[in-house]
Amino acid sequence: MTISSEFQEVLRAGRPDFNARAAEARHRYPSFNSELLGQFLTHSVDPFVAAAAPECRGIVASAAYDVALELVGRELAGGHTRGRLLDRLWQEVLPALVGILPAQPAPMLCALCNALLNLHAQGARAEQWLQLLLEQAPQIRGDVLPDIGVLAAWRAGAVQFRFAALRLASAHPQAASAILGLPEQGELTKQLPLLERDPWLLNPGNANVLGHEVGRFTGYGGHFPTPPSVRACAAGFMVKSEDRYFLLLADSFGALLLPASANEYLAATDYQAPASPAPGLIDGGLHTLRGRVEHSFCRDDLQLAWNEHSAALYSPYSFSIYVVPWR
Amino acid sequence: MPFDIFKRVSRAPTNPKDTPRSRTFDVADLYQGPLQSEFDTTDTAVALDEKLRQAYFWVVNSAIISPHYDIEYNDTPPQSFVVGDSKRRLTLPSAQSYSSYVLLPLLTFATRRKCLFVGGPGRGKTASAILMGVLAGYPVKEVRRAMQHGHPQMTIADLLGNPLPADLVGAQRMEDIRIAWRNWLGMRVKIIDEYNRIPTRTQSALLTVMGDNYAEVLNHIYECPESAWYLTANDDQGGGTYQVIEALRDRIDVIVQALAFNPRFLSDLLVRIEEGIRPEEVVPKEIVFSEAEIDQMHGEILQVELPAPLRRRLEFFTSQFELSETAGAQFEYMTKDTARLSAVDWAQLVAADNGRDRLKDLGCQTLNGLSVRNLMTLLVYAKALAYFRGNNSVELEDLRQILPFVLNDKLRADLDAPFFSLPQNAAYRCDSISWLRHLFDLSNAEYERLGLDQEDPITQLEQEFSLGLESVSESETRTRINRIERLVAEWCKGRKLYGHLYDDLLKLKYLHQRYTNYLHWLRSQK
């Protein structure tokens, strides 16, 4: 694959400057891979630069080149999963957004790369986030792009943004409707308090959400060195695995684990879970107000923690936690 | 340009603590990450201790190549390895540890005290001092021009300023002579390069500025602002062209040694040559402190708590060194200071002192005791180190780590003492930092052996006394006096006199005297 004539033209015009920046990046990053830079520029940056309008192509190319140097220098680009996600961002999503990027696009390019990397690192569905942005690209303006990114992030499983996204949803009802399946403006205003209260109220794709399984053994790239123990708290669940602590957040769009502290885990002892009605374990099965929930855990010594809306099933024989709605 | 190799300041917390965090997730959280974006919260006010740590990490990572983590902290037992024929121990610390060569000057900057850099030529002593000037907000050129270079012809006028020639000729009175004061006197960071090359007379003028913070020429006084001082010397023995006067040496608060360059870091030097970069010229503005910030930081450092049990350990350590049983006939004069003032031969005095276990007694390892100035400096630097580590109170390890740098060249080793003749202690003859730390460890071990944390009669008496004498009855006063007398009698019975016992007895005498005076006053009221 060769580089497009548009990008070639820009690179040729600023050759000494581009070369100097690459030399500087080589100094800054000990493991800088020049070959990888060439590949990333050819396969990923080129489609983005080529899609830019001729009058701003120079600025776009310069910004993209700097971001590419940093991505390669920090070993974020490449053939690994993270690198492939970045490739898709540059090859498909950014060309669709190039017309709405600010006049100095570097900070926004960095922000979008950061968002993608964050979602991937947190275990959210980064592919879905990219797809949602791609679908929304024709309808959105540059100034609302960050907000749309947050809505899409929540939909893709970044549940920590639920409250932020609900606030943004009222400002961007059409996008919220398209991304989250929320009702249109009038209904949304009425439903917002309910949505804020109940994390499982939304029903993505009209599918009946059963729950989410989170966590894996660290030896297989997961979070838990030992089978976790769980305590309910108002926000979600506090999880302890050996000397590691996590906050487990879950809603109908997904579940994820965020770093927490021993103090937060201890503080969760004071949380009073609702006593009645409440989910329960009967003969190794989980019974909720929604009915009996099937699970794949060993039925011996099964444990249950619950808060206002969610129940977390865990076992001393498993590295996973199964979170379900119980009301 | 996004690539400023030397201008990166740590954006992550430099010493993260297990503190409750806010669980309100912001939109910006999604867009912040490894790449710098407009969502980065760089403009939020940084706590001054965090800023100080950012400055430390910038200096240590980008400016001064000093990969010597000699101030070691551990939160779990560290990995440690024995190496070489001399069986030296290499420890891999398990917590954030620091390079004294960068940390001590920074703490000096924060506490506005006086730091001496020692080491061979070309080790970056002057460059480090200049960096500190830049951190105080001065342009590099101004810092360089204000730096005083010691040389054998340096006069007081060179150092402080000249009377205006026209006034010298025309003035009828001294007050009419105007003085052109040197600019450096008004700066908040003062640098004296190669101070051991300054002639003795000029050193005396320097002493006035360092000690009393003012300069005097022809009866005219210039009041200097509170400032941090950095002095450099090619060795710490007062060598060079002139002997450094004792009082000037004593004004120096900490001494840091420039350790040898590790050639494994040659590539870092190469980058500087190739890029034509001098770190002091590219100090990031985020780590430059304003005058108000330095004042505030100093105030915050002084607020750091020194817990009473820790203070007690320091008291115990300090009391080891001043006693010289053969130097005085009266109890109060049995000190090394008495011996020193009398100019009696030290070896003779030591030979006469045959009652104690000279290996066990820590006091036998030193030629002197600690001065009030030393102790005040130690307390301030211990607080500063705790502050730098983001703590509200000083920990034992803070004291243990900072103590050798403050007492270096202040608590002088008696190299003829039996301790230094033991083969395993031979290295302490040269390495005073390790010796002082070892000395503190031995003192702590003794403190623990005596169980003074659990039971210390003096502390109990002190607490009782600190409640005040108002409404204490005559009988109660008598009871307390009796208790003190019994305690003195018990302690004097058949016990060897060690430093800590000597100070305890003096303290009991003090309390006894205060109660006796009070008793007299009570009787006079009847």
Side-chain angles (χ1 to χ4, degrees):
Chain A
M1 189 174 172
T2 55
I3 210 160
S4 68
S5 57
E6 292 88 346
F7 195 20
Q8 267 184 36
E9 198 179 312
V10 178
L11 288 175
R12 196 178 300 119
R15 188 177 173 184
D17 181 42
F18 284 123
N19 285 343
R21 287 191 229 173
E24 202 170 7
R26 269 197 298 278
H27 279 311
R28 183 176 178 182
Y29 304 109
S31 54
F32 189 85
N33 184 337
S34 301
E35 196 181 332
L36 184 63
L37 174 67
Q39 285 172 14
F40 191 72
L41 291 175
T42 308
H43 297 284
S44 301
V45 178
D46 183 39
F48 171 60
V49 174
E55 63 274 12
C56 57
R57 191 171 289 137
I59 295 172
V60 166
S62 175
Y65 185 83
D66 280 339
V67 179
L69 287 173
E70 203 158 351
L71 289 172
V72 171
R74 293 178 184 274
E75 299 179 67
L76 298 168
H80 37 67
T81 314
R82 200 175 46 198
R84 285 200 297 277
L85 286 168
L86 282 169
D87 285 341
R88 189 171 170 216
L89 172 72
W90 285 81
Q91 289 163 3
E92 297 176 31
V93 181
L94 290 180
L97 296 172
V98 69
I100 60 162
L101 290 180
Q104 294 298 329
M108 183 54 77
L109 291 176
C110 291
L112 291 171
C113 290
N114 284 339
L116 181 64
L117 295 166
N118 286 337
L119 292 173
H120 170 63
Q122 288 162 1
R125 299 179 295 276
E127 284 278 3
Q128 188 183 5
W129 184 74
L130 288 173
Q131 187 60 36
L132 287 167
L133 280 191
L134 192 58
E135 287 166 10
Q136 291 301 307
Q139 288 97 44
I140 53 178
R141 299 189 318 268
D143 58 336
V144 301
L145 178 58
D147 294 352
I148 304 303
V150 173
L151 291 172
W154 180 33
R155 180 65 187 83
V159 291
Q160 74 271 37
F161 295 118
R162 188 164 72 88
F163 291 105
L166 282 171
R167 279 197 303 276
L168 293 172
S170 47
H172 312 292
Q174 280 184 331
S177 172
I179 295 172
L180 307 171
L182 289 176
E184 293 289 348
Q185 180 70 44
E187 277 296 298
L188 178 64
T189 316
K190 287 184 206 160
Q191 284 205 18
L192 266 180
L194 288 174
L195 289 167
E196 285 195 359
R197 221 173 298 140
D198 186 353
W200 302 93
L201 194 64
L202 280 171
N203 195 0
N206 294 323
N208 193 14
V209 179
L210 292 178
H212 310 287
E213 194 167 326
V214 285
R216 263 193 310 166
F217 175 46
T218 43
Y220 297 129
H223 291 84
F224 302 142
T226 57
S229 53
V230 179
R231 284 177 185 174
C233 63
F237 299 93
M238 299 308 306
V239 183
K240 176 179 188 284
S241 175
E242 207 172 76
D243 57 349
R244 301 184 192 185
Y245 299 88
F246 304 91
L247 170 63
L248 168 58
L249 296 175
D251 67 10
S252 49
F253 290 143
L256 56 78
L257 293 158
L258 298 168
S261 64
N263 288 341
E264 287 174 291
Y265 182 77
L266 287 174
T269 320
D270 300 333
Y271 177 75
Q272 296 286 325
S276 178
L281 290 168
I282 303 170
D283 296 333
L286 172 59
H287 290 260
T288 71
L289 295 186
R290 295 186 176 199
R292 185 183 165 91
V293 178
E294 294 305 322
H295 61 83
S296 57
F297 290 106
C298 167
R299 284 164 193 275
D300 296 336
D301 303 325
L302 205 57
Q303 312 252 4
L304 181 68
W306 68 93
N307 61 17
E308 205 59 46
H309 298 280
S310 314
L313 203 59
Y314 61 105
S315 156
Y317 311 114
S318 171
F319 288 88
S320 299
I321 302 167
Y322 191 42
V323 198
V324 295
W326 66 269
R327 282 187 188 273
Chain B
M1 289 283 280
F3 295 100
D4 291 316
I5 299 173
F6 288 88
K7 288 203 164 187
R8 282 169 292 153
V9 175
S10 172
R11 283 189 291 148
T14 50
N15 191 9
K17 299 274 176 186
D18 189 10
T19 48
R21 67 189 83 187
S22 156
R23 286 297 182 189
T24 50
F25 296 98
D26 183 14
V27 173
D29 295 342
L30 179 63
Y31 297 110
Q32 288 171 0
L35 310 187
Q36 201 167 356
S37 77
E38 61 193 7
F39 291 91
D40 292 338
T41 49
T42 48
D43 56 340
T44 51
V46 175
L48 290 175
D49 62 318
E50 175 66 14
K51 188 169 178 177
L52 195 64
R53 284 192 295 277
Q54 284 181 342
Y56 168 83
F57 283 107
W58 180 82
V59 174
V60 89
N61 292 330
S62 304
I64 297 171
I65 305 165
S66 180
H68 305 284
Y69 292 94
D70 54 332
I71 295 185
E72 295 177 355
Y73 281 90
N74 298 294
D75 47 20
T76 54
Q79 290 279 349
S80 151
F81 306 89
V82 172
V83 61
D85 295 336
S86 54
K87 303 268 186 279
R88 293 288 177 259
R89 192 165 284 278
L90 171 71
T91 307
L92 305 179
S94 58
Q96 195 172 84
S97 298
Y98 309 100
S99 166
S100 63
Y101 188 59
V102 177
L103 181 60
L104 268 295
L106 258 183
L107 298 185
T108 303
F109 173 79
T111 54
R112 296 185 299 209
R113 297 186 87 87
K114 297 166 192 77
C115 173
L116 170 65
F117 292 103
V118 294
R123 298 274 168 102
K125 303 188 294 292
T126 311
S128 301
I130 289 174
L131 266 178
M132 298 301 137
V134 178
L135 288 184
Y138 294 107
V140 185
K141 278 185 183 170
E142 198 178 331
V143 177
R144 285 214 182 97
R145 285 173 192 159
M147 183 163 51
Q148 300 301 298
H149 297 277
H151 61 84
Q153 281 77 43
M154 192 177 206
T155 62
I156 293 177
D158 290 337
L159 187 73
L160 304 180
N162 297 299
L164 292 179
D167 290 359
L168 268 184
V169 174
Q172 299 298 312
R173 299 175 307 163
M174 290 282 262
E175 301 90 78
D176 297 337
I177 302 171
R178 286 171 298 167
I179 309 291
W181 297 103
R182 301 289 305 276
N183 286 342
W184 74 280
L185 291 170
M187 292 179 72
R188 283 171 285 115
V189 169
K190 296 185 169 72
I191 305 172
I192 312 286
D193 199 20
E194 301 199 347
Y195 89 123
N196 51 348
R197 297 187 70 220
I198 298 176
T200 312
R201 186 157 175 265
T202 313
Q203 280 184 30
S204 302
L206 180 62
L207 173 66
T208 312
V209 186
M210 277 177 72
D212 301 324
N213 221 17
Y214 74 90
E216 184 180 359
V217 173
L218 296 178
N219 265 359
H220 288 262
I221 302 290
Y222 183 95
E223 293 285 352
C224 304
E226 285 290 331
S227 47
W229 286 73
Y230 297 94
L231 302 98
T232 76
N234 281 343
D235 62 57
D236 66 342
Q237 300 305 309
T241 310
Y242 289 93
Q243 181 78 28
V244 175
I245 56 175
E246 182 74 18
L248 194 59
R249 284 171 67 153
D250 197 51
R251 291 299 188 285
I252 288 163
D253 294 307
V254 285
I255 299 176
V256 281
Q257 183 187 343
L259 296 172
F261 180 75
N262 183 336
R264 279 287 187 180
F265 292 84
L266 198 59
S267 63
D268 292 359
L269 290 184
L270 188 64
V271 171
R272 289 172 194 206
I273 292 167
E274 289 172 350
E275 302 298 329
I277 286 175
R278 299 167 76 107
E280 64 269 25
E281 289 169 357
V282 291
V283 174
K285 65 178 185 341
E286 296 94 317
I287 57 169
V288 171
F289 289 79
S290 67
E291 192 175 344
E293 282 178 327
I294 300 172
D295 287 344
Q296 188 189 334
M297 186 162 57
H298 187 235
E300 287 174 3
I301 287 172
L302 297 184
Q303 294 309 309
V304 172
E305 184 203 5
L306 185 88
L310 204 55
R311 193 199 67 219
R312 183 68 202 99
R313 279 179 187 250
L314 183 58
E315 287 170 1
F316 184 78
F317 172 76
T318 307
S319 61
Q320 305 289 331
F321 305 109
E322 194 55 72
L323 172 67
S324 175
E325 213 172 333
T326 52
Q330 190 180 336
F331 203 73
E332 280 79 1
Y333 289 89
M334 286 161 39
T335 63
K336 287 175 184 167
D337 220 27
T338 310
R340 200 169 105 122
L341 289 169
S342 70
V344 167
D345 181 40
W346 178 252
Q348 271 187 356
L349 271 179
V350 169
D353 181 14
N354 56 7
R356 289 175 291 171
D357 180 347
R358 289 183 51 75
L359 258 178
K360 191 183 157 204
D361 185 3
L362 301 185
C364 292
Q365 295 182 34
T366 71
L367 293 170
N368 60 336
L370 292 175
S371 69
V372 175
R373 188 182 294 132
N374 300 155
L375 286 171
M376 287 174 76
T377 306
L378 184 55
L379 293 174
V380 169
Y381 272 87
K383 281 172 180 254
L385 181 55
Y387 177 81
F388 174 82
R389 296 181 64 228
N391 295 335
N392 296 325
S393 65
V394 180
E395 293 172 0
L396 179 62
E397 197 58 27
D398 296 326
L399 203 53
R400 182 176 175 270
Q401 292 297 338
I402 206 73
L403 180 139
F405 297 97
V406 177
L407 300 189
N408 188 8
D409 199 42
K410 306 290 190 307
L411 194 61
R412 296 193 187 137
D414 181 0
L415 297 178
D416 296 326
F419 171 85
F420 292 102
S421 61
L422 295 177
Q424 67 269 29
N425 297 333
Y428 293 132
R429 297 172 74 90
C430 307
D431 181 2
S432 56
I433 297 292
S434 300
W435 166 63
L436 287 162
R437 198 168 283 142
H438 183 66
L439 208 54
F440 189 60
D441 288 345
L442 291 175
S443 164
N444 280 332
E446 181 65 7
Y447 182 85
E448 280 156 20
R449 190 187 69 78
L450 294 171
L452 293 177
D453 263 339
Q454 287 76 41
E455 195 189 355
D456 182 11
I458 297 269
T459 305
Q460 290 160 14
L461 289 168
E462 251 178 351
Q463 283 169 352
E464 204 172 49
F465 182 73
S466 68
L467 295 175
L469 293 173
E470 200 173 334
S471 74
V472 176
S473 66
E474 187 177 335
S475 66
E476 172 62 19
T477 310
R478 283 180 174 285
T479 309
R480 292 185 190 183
I481 288 175
N482 284 339
R483 209 183 320 147
I484 291 169
E485 286 169 354
R486 276 203 309 275
L487 205 54
V488 171
E490 188 189 328
W491 284 357
C492 290
K493 200 162 39 179
R495 284 176 74 167
K496 298 278 184 204
L497 187 57
Y498 289 102
H500 61 91
L501 181 61
Y502 174 69
D503 281 342
D504 284 355
L505 288 170
L506 283 176
K507 178 80 188 212
L508 286 176
K509 182 174 175 181
Y510 164 84
L511 291 172
H512 186 273
Q513 179 58 204
R514 293 293 300 269
Y515 282 124
T516 305
N517 289 344
Y518 178 65
L519 193 63
H520 280 301
W521 179 80
L522 273 182
R523 282 175 182 163
S524 70
Q525 299 303 303
K526 286 182 180 171

